[in-house]
Amino acid sequence: MMKSTESNIKILFEPKSIAIIGASQHKGKIGYKILENIVAGGYKGKIYPINPKGGEILGIKAYKAMEDVPGDVDVATIVVPAEFVYPALKGCAAKKTKFLSIITSGFSEIGNVEEEKKIVSFARENGMRILGPNIFGFFSAGVSLNATFGPKEVKKGGVAIITQSGALGVAMIGKTAVENIGLSAIISVGNKSDLDETDLLRYLINHEETKVIMMYIEGIKDGARLVGILKEATAKKPVIVVKSGRSKRGAIAAASHTGSLAGSDEIFDAIMKQCNVQRAENIKDALEWCKFLSNSPVPTAENAIIITNGGGIGVLATDACEKYGIKLYDDYEALKKTFAPVMPYFGSAKNPIDLTGQAESSHYSLAFTTSLKNKNISSLISLYCETAVFDIQNFEPLIEETYKKYKAAGKPIVFCLVGGEKVEECVKSLRRRDVPAFNDPYEAVSCLGALYSYANYHGESSETIDKPKLDVKSIEEVIKKVRAENRSFLLSNEGQAVVKAAGMPVPQSYIARNIKEAADYAQKIGYPLVMKIVSKDILHKSDVGGVALDLQNKNEVIEAYEAIINNCRTHNPAATIDGVEVSEMVPHGTELIIGARRDPSFGPIVMFGLGGIYVEVMKDVSFRAIPVGRREILSMIKQIRSYPLLLGVRGEAQKDIESVIDSIIKVSGIIESCPAITDIEINPLVVYEKGVKAVDARILISHLK
Amino acid sequence: MMKSTESNIKILFEPKSIAIIGASQHKGKIGYKILENIVAGGYKGKIYPINPKGGEILGIKAYKAMEDVPGDVDVATIVVPAEFVYPALKGCAAKKTKFLSIITSGFSEIGNVEEEKKIVSFARENGMRILGPNIFGFFSAGVSLNATFGPKEVKKGGVAIITQSGALGVAMIGKTAVENIGLSAIISVGNKSDLDETDLLRYLINHEETKVIMMYIEGIKDGARLVGILKEATAKKPVIVVKSGRSKRGAIAAASHTGSLAGSDEIFDAIMKQCNVQRAENIKDALEWCKFLSNSPVPTAENAIIITNGGGIGVLATDACEKYGIKLYDDYEALKKTFAPVMPYFGSAKNPIDLTGQAESSHYSLAFTTSLKNKNISSLISLYCETAVFDIQNFEPLIEETYKKYKAAGKPIVFCLVGGEKVEECVKSLRRRDVPAFNDPYEAVSCLGALYSYANYHGESSETIDKPKLDVKSIEEVIKKVRAENRSFLLSNEGQAVVKAAGMPVPQSYIARNIKEAADYAQKIGYPLVMKIVSKDILHKSDVGGVALDLQNKNEVIEAYEAIINNCRTHNPAATIDGVEVSEMVPHGTELIIGARRDPSFGPIVMFGLGGIYVEVMKDVSFRAIPVGRREILSMIKQIRSYPLLLGVRGEAQKDIESVIDSIIKVSGIIESCPAITDIEINPLVVYEKGVKAVDARILISHLK
């Protein structure tokens, strides 16, 4: 796939000229609406309406064809009916157009896949990139370009929005204006026939005016690229994502709507965390977070403090802090000393600091200053419940002043005020001036939580990822043999060979072709032993008597060899038998599963869990996108609920977690280095106090080159 | 504790006269504010301000003392400082006052427990009940009585609020007015020195004007009573609860604030579900649910339908439906047939029904009618994303008309509209007229979800609870003996005796006092066997060699007997040895834990989980308050994540779930019937394809009568 570079994607966001193919005189038409928006928005570049009738539209000269336009055109917005889109491309190519914004719908989203492909391929051949089709267009604040059929008024500011849904996008333009959220850009990707989120992010990452990026996603087509750019993006600014289709039912609805398969939500969620992307459940929360994060400093440490005039709301905010992962400052002695001078005798100097219902603005003022000048307190949650005695007229300016002062000092604050008409008016008035005021403690705390979640990860983002050393040549030899036999699965011993080539400890194992060899190998390995038939024609080995466990001596080995060969011959006289595998029986330990596969959305991903029931029944597993660093792998291991079993319960010693991390890196390495391998599952990987053993490996390959 | 009856609690809510002890001339004082609110509210009963100076306040004759008031007084509101509250009670008693609403703070919440006790005990002796102290008062719409120091204006309507936090309560009076939520009553319980939620619910359950009850709770003092009344209440109307202190940190903050211990949140949550109480996370959601539930019909079946003009928002709403437990209608063929006439060619007739961005009001109208006249569709979620072409001026009346028509027809609807200023105005205007309109799909769906959650349980609330048959006399004999020996724990054989007396199958077991007895018992039971020392002086039996497992024959039994006695004598020569227990070794099965204890908040509760790691590491357990019926026990069993293990995994047969239910009923019965027992834990209870065995029982008793 052709990769867009930052320099050329800039032309889409900052074009010097734009053509509207299908511009119209008729007010009801999209071709009129878009031109009207471009003009009304104050776009300073050249505007070329294209309409077969020519003449003038909205006082601007219209051209009968693209070819008639003088000079080149950076961007062409296309609104003609689906069947006229392809024919319009020739003129665009003639004018060396760089980007086509295809508003028109009626392509892959309704099954008209071929026409879309034709358009993309013609565009590519002629050096043009496509946004859409099936979009509402795009808005770019830098050049005051509103090339959408959405609302005329767009408030400018620091939030960039990329949306897969056109309808929601248009609604969000209105919604952001109402909520006083300024946009640096809003852009709809629709069918993503060519450009997708990744291409657009490339521009937004380095776009200085963009402080926060929000994305509404329904399905992902090239997740591996997206993961890379998201990691880059969040190292510079917060990214907030809403992904719909999180439920099973929703995923079906999403698929019917966009044509791109919605990935499993657990995987999406895990990978967003890995990329330090903040995931909101719904649009409302996402926009609140955007507003807050674009207006607040990123805290450099933990330790928040709650100031309240009511115990109840203080407890609610405390609950919310736990939910959203905010650590409250809890050095009680220090708090007592700090707040003693400002406390009424029956208030509490524990955090939440309770100023009680008697508090007036002046008490808040004192408490704010006392808290925020304390270097151990990094952020503030201010709560107010309406009381009869309170001087709210003084509170509003106090809030604004405090917010601004400590914004400059790097300390974020959220204010929550609950009460009647006067209180609501105060909240609204503060919000209009971009002060983070809320009327519900959970909303306030959720915003601060998103900020901390972003900030806390931030410090860890520099992890370097070591590539494991693999004997790729050996692995490729195994695969070559499997392919030659036209199989898509590896035999047990082949799987072991791959795992061994990746440097993982496997049980000692040999293939005996006769009784003597079996006895010799047994002698070499030592007892107890396991024996298994090796034959590509016998898959369910246990069922046919092709396995013997816990063999304790030479006699048992000899008997087992004969029994296994006999059983298998009886079961399938025509089977090709390669021999009998004689393996070390590994001692008892904690059984784990490590899996890796190529996810249809995200490319290579790795999975970790405890073996058996924990995976099968409890679904207690965690995921990451590959590549993944040691620290992130550790967080992946700690994330499973059964993690305490690795630390040792009931008097058992701790397991060798470092070796588990090594194993995850190695399994990731196999799937990264060997494009033929589609699935690996080490089950079980047995972990001990010291070391691990990969007992069995199930590996699948594709037959595509 | 004295129980309030419905008839006398009615006097609190509907008094014929009210005195204000501490009424004041001074505008800044609470004694002025309350009188002002009572007068402004239009209370028609008799009002008696009490102030040592006499005279007139707000044009009403003030009395120097209660004793001067002519005739009796139903309710006295007390606002004098803490030290003058007790002295004021004599006058109240003289006037046969029935209820005291003690606004004053400075009692148990700051450690002044004795004064509070003194007040309660004097009141009780004189037939008076106390609301508070440490409250903002109460409002009762039926008699237009606003005896609070909160806002003057209270909107009347169908929602009753009971709040433990005064500050939040006052704020909620304002908040409900802003949100256009009408109140039938709002009442603060503060320190709950006497009256608590249970007493107040007794009135509200049968109060016809109250359609929905909301409670804000911080801590629970007498949960067992509360559970009973909540079950009664939800059989008649929805109850919505916000419980703060759900986090560990929040629970500490709550305890410091109210002085009542916040119970474990998991237990609270489980018991609320058992009572069909809808639990909201925060005040905002709770009030939204109240408003919606008080204005919407309760659906009689499942099957909701989503109508949308945008696929994206449709998917978000679908996700929300799964989150909030709403079942979407999904008979695709029926849907296709129903909607074919109204669908544009590229919309989707799957649920969500997508009218596409071209839709106008008339399309919605058709889709509404088509859906709602269909008897298989029980509720509707209508979604709208702002588009350029839409006629919102027609949409608003359509929404209101549709809502009203189908409210009468028993079909609830929620409307969600997302967009700019015009759309927001439309939502606000609808909300002012009590039409359930929202600007976020999750909010809309969460309200409908609360309604379904209430409605779906409703049908199951009639379950009768059978008492298990227990041999209480045998159990009491065991307890008597344990008490006589001054122990608070039962020995293993005593535990088994209790469990057996409850009718639970236990392993066959005898205490042998010599080798011959041991051999005889072994013969009687059959092999394999387990043997254990019986001695109150030896607790960690395994550690000292006091246990022998898997004994296969007489010789092994004899050897084991000698070894056990020897080991224990060596370990503790002074130990009193009662003998050696010879028990059947139970066959392998699935190990469960059933526990029951007296919870400090809720009284007797029962716990269920899978044994071993599942409880210890995965914390995979469920709780219910006792008494609990079979159907509810089944839901308790199904609730644990490891439930599939009982259904049989990996080719195992299903376990005997009916016997597990019996066992839970029996354990519940033991703790219900034997007040001395504080804790029981059957661990393990082994369950088979047929039947169960209670292998070990740990039982604790109290030494209080």
Side-chain angles (χ1 to χ4, degrees), chain B residues 109-183:
Chain B
E109 83 279 10
I110 60 157
N112 190 2
V113 177
E114 284 313 313
E115 186 72 8
E116 192 171 297
K117 276 192 184 157
K118 211 170 84 183
I119 290 168
V120 172
S121 113
F122 181 88
R124 292 253 171 107
E125 284 159 16
N126 291 276
M128 301 186 290
R129 303 296 307 263
I130 292 175
L131 186 67
N134 186 25
I135 57 173
F136 69 73
F138 67 100
F139 162 82
S140 176
V143 294
S144 299
L145 176 57
N146 181 4
T148 77
F149 59 79
K152 216 179 286 178
E153 305 290 335
V154 188
K155 193 182 141 63
K156 291 186 184 179
V159 177
I161 300 179
I162 302 172
T163 171
Q164 195 168 351
S165 162
L168 262 179
V170 170
M172 279 193 281
I173 297 178
K175 188 86 187 158
T176 49
V178 170
E179 299 292 340
N180 198 36
I181 298 168
L183 301 181

Side-chain angles (χ1 to χ4, degrees), chain A residues 386-705:
Chain A
E386 186 171 21
T387 66
V389 300
F390 197 73
D391 53 328
I392 195 156
Q393 69 284 3
N394 299 324
F395 199 39
E396 192 176 326
L398 170 67
I399 286 176
E400 188 165 4
E401 189 191 305
T402 307
Y403 162 67
K404 284 187 176 158
K405 182 169 170 192
Y406 291 97
K407 179 180 175 179
K411 296 194 177 184
I413 316 182
V414 289
F415 300 90
C416 169
L417 297 88
V418 185
E421 200 62 59
K422 261 194 215 165
V423 175
E424 286 288 316
E425 277 312 318
C426 172
V427 171
K428 277 185 201 156
S429 152
L430 288 164
R431 289 177 68 87
R432 272 194 295 272
R433 297 196 303 287
D434 288 339
V435 180
F438 305 84
N439 57 19
D440 176 82
Y442 270 78
E443 269 180 28
V445 172
S446 123
C447 286
L448 191 62
L451 181 61
Y452 267 113
S453 168
Y454 174 69
N456 288 346
Y457 182 97
H458 211 49
E460 292 182 357
S461 70
S462 59
E463 183 170 17
T464 55
I465 296 176
D466 301 325
K467 288 251 172 186
K469 285 189 199 84
L470 307 179
D471 178 358
V472 175
K473 222 179 122 194
S474 297
I475 298 177
E476 278 170 357
E477 268 164 31
V478 173
I479 291 169
K480 203 171 151 188
K481 178 170 166 271
V482 175
R483 277 187 169 161
E485 295 184 10
N486 216 24
R487 275 185 281 132
S488 60
F489 61 91
L490 272 61
L491 296 177
S492 157
N493 57 315
E494 294 163 343
Q496 289 295 47
V498 169
V499 168
K500 209 172 160 185
M504 296 175 76
V506 297
Q508 250 195 93
S509 176
Y510 303 94
I511 297 177
R513 273 151 237 281
N514 53 50
I515 290 190
K516 189 181 173 303
E517 277 184 25
D520 289 351
Y521 289 139
Q523 175 77 9
K524 192 166 169 184
I525 297 170
Y527 300 92
L529 287 169
V530 176
M531 290 170 68
K532 273 184 212 167
I533 192 76
V534 181
S535 165
K536 68 177 188 338
D537 301 317
I538 298 171
L539 290 182
H540 301 287
K541 303 182 189 78
S542 300
D543 297 354
V544 301
V547 178
L549 301 172
D550 201 13
L551 306 171
Q552 296 285 356
N553 53 48
K554 190 174 165 181
N555 278 349
E556 288 185 16
V557 167
I558 291 170
E559 278 168 29
Y561 187 92
E562 287 176 335
I564 286 173
I565 295 289
N566 256 335
N567 292 338
C568 294
R569 285 261 156 80
T570 312
H571 167 70
N572 183 356
T576 309
I577 292 177
D578 295 336
V580 175
E581 194 181 67
V582 182
S583 312
E584 166 193 358
M585 195 168 106
V586 304
H588 178 78
T590 301
E591 299 197 349
L592 309 176
I593 293 185
I594 298 176
R597 67 180 178 93
R598 300 188 190 280
D599 183 78
S601 297
F602 283 103
I605 59 167
V606 63
M607 184 203 84
F608 168 75
L610 257 78
I613 298 301
Y614 296 98
V615 167
E616 286 169 33
V617 176
M618 310 293 273
K619 317 283 180 211
D620 187 21
V621 293
S622 55
F623 299 93
R624 290 297 184 276
I626 297 169
V628 54
R630 291 192 82 82
R631 207 158 32 198
E632 190 67 27
I633 291 175
L634 183 59
S635 89
M636 176 185 186
I637 293 172
K638 286 185 177 171
Q639 186 184 320
I640 61 169
R641 293 192 301 272
S642 44
Y643 172 64
L645 295 179
L646 288 176
L647 293 178
V649 288
R650 298 179 159 181
E652 282 180 14
Q654 180 171 328
K655 300 303 175 292
D656 185 349
I657 291 172
E658 286 302 312
S659 289
V660 177
I661 295 177
D662 288 338
S663 306
I664 293 174
I665 289 175
K666 283 165 185 166
V667 170
S668 303
I670 295 172
I671 210 152
E672 244 190 321
S673 313
C674 307
I677 295 180
T678 59
D679 292 85
I680 314 178
E681 192 172 287
I682 315 281
N683 181 12
L685 179 89
V686 182
V687 58
Y688 305 100
E689 280 177 50
K690 187 78 201 129
V692 295
K693 280 252 161 102
V695 176
D696 202 9
R698 199 183 64 96
I699 298 180
L700 302 180
I701 62 166
S702 74
H703 279 270
L704 306 169
K705 259 279 165 138

Side-chain angles (χ1 to χ4, degrees), chain B residues 96 108 189 242 281 329 387 391 468 562 618 631 641 643 658:
Chain B
K96 293 186 182 135
S108 66
V189 289
V242 175
E281 186 176 48
Y329 185 51
T387 67
D391 52 325
E562 286 176 332
M618 311 294 273
R631 208 158 33 198
R641 291 190 303 272
Y643 172 64
E658 286 302 312

Side-chain angles (χ1 to χ4, degrees), chain A residues 28 30 33 105-106 110 149-151 165 167-168 170-179 216 218 242-254 256-257 281-285 309-316 318-320 322-324 328-330 335 345-346 348 350-352 354 357-358 384-389 417-422 424 428 439-443 611-614 616-618 620 641-645 649-650, chain B residues 28 30 33 105-106 110 149-151 165 167-168 170-179 216 218 242-254 256-257 281-285 309-316 318-320 322-324 328-330 335 345-346 348 350-352 354 357-358 384-389 417-422 424 428 439-443 611-614 616-618 620 641-645 649-650:
Chain A
I30 284 180
K33 180 69 185 157
S105 58
I110 60 156
F149 59 78
S165 161
L168 263 177
V170 170
M172 280 193 280
I173 297 177
K175 187 88 187 155
T176 49
V178 171
E179 298 293 339
Y216 168 78
E218 290 176 355
V242 175
K243 161 92 166 56
S244 67
R246 56 193 309 159
S247 60
K248 272 188 208 116
R249 175 74 190 233
I252 296 167
S256 87
H257 173 238
E281 187 177 48
N282 55 49
I283 300 289
K284 197 166 195 169
D285 287 353
N309 71 336
I313 195 171
V315 182
L316 284 171
T318 304
D319 289 346
E322 189 157 300
K323 175 177 179 187
Y324 295 109
L328 290 174
Y329 186 51
D330 57 5
L335 280 167
Y345 79 103
F346 51 111
S348 162
K350 283 179 195 160
N351 190 1
D354 190 350
Q358 269 70 53
Y384 164 70
C385 275
E386 186 171 21
T387 66
V389 300
L417 297 88
V418 185
E421 200 62 59
K422 261 194 215 165
E424 286 288 316
K428 277 185 201 156
N439 57 19
D440 176 82
Y442 270 78
E443 269 180 28
I613 298 301
Y614 296 98
E616 286 169 33
V617 176
M618 310 293 273
D620 187 21
R641 293 192 301 272
S642 44
Y643 172 64
L645 295 179
V649 288
R650 298 179 159 181
Chain B
I30 283 182
K33 181 68 187 156
S105 57
I110 60 157
F149 59 79
S165 162
L168 262 179
V170 170
M172 279 193 281
I173 297 178
K175 188 86 187 158
T176 49
V178 170
E179 299 292 340
Y216 169 78
E218 290 176 353
V242 175
K243 161 93 167 54
S244 67
R246 54 192 308 159
S247 61
K248 272 185 207 116
R249 174 73 192 234
I252 297 165
S256 89
H257 172 239
E281 186 176 48
N282 54 50
I283 300 290
K284 198 166 194 171
D285 288 352
N309 71 338
I313 195 171
V315 182
L316 285 170
T318 304
D319 290 347
E322 188 157 300
K323 177 176 177 186
Y324 295 109
L328 290 174
Y329 185 51
D330 57 4
L335 280 168
Y345 82 101
F346 52 111
S348 161
K350 283 178 196 160
N351 189 2
D354 189 351
Q358 269 71 50
Y384 164 71
C385 275
E386 186 171 21
T387 67
V389 299
L417 297 88
V418 184
E421 200 61 59
K422 260 194 217 164
E424 286 288 316
K428 275 184 202 155
N439 57 19
D440 177 82
Y442 270 77
E443 269 180 29
I613 298 300
Y614 296 97
E616 285 169 34
V617 176
M618 311 294 273
D620 186 22
R641 291 190 303 272
S642 44
Y643 172 64
L645 295 179
V649 288
R650 299 180 158 181

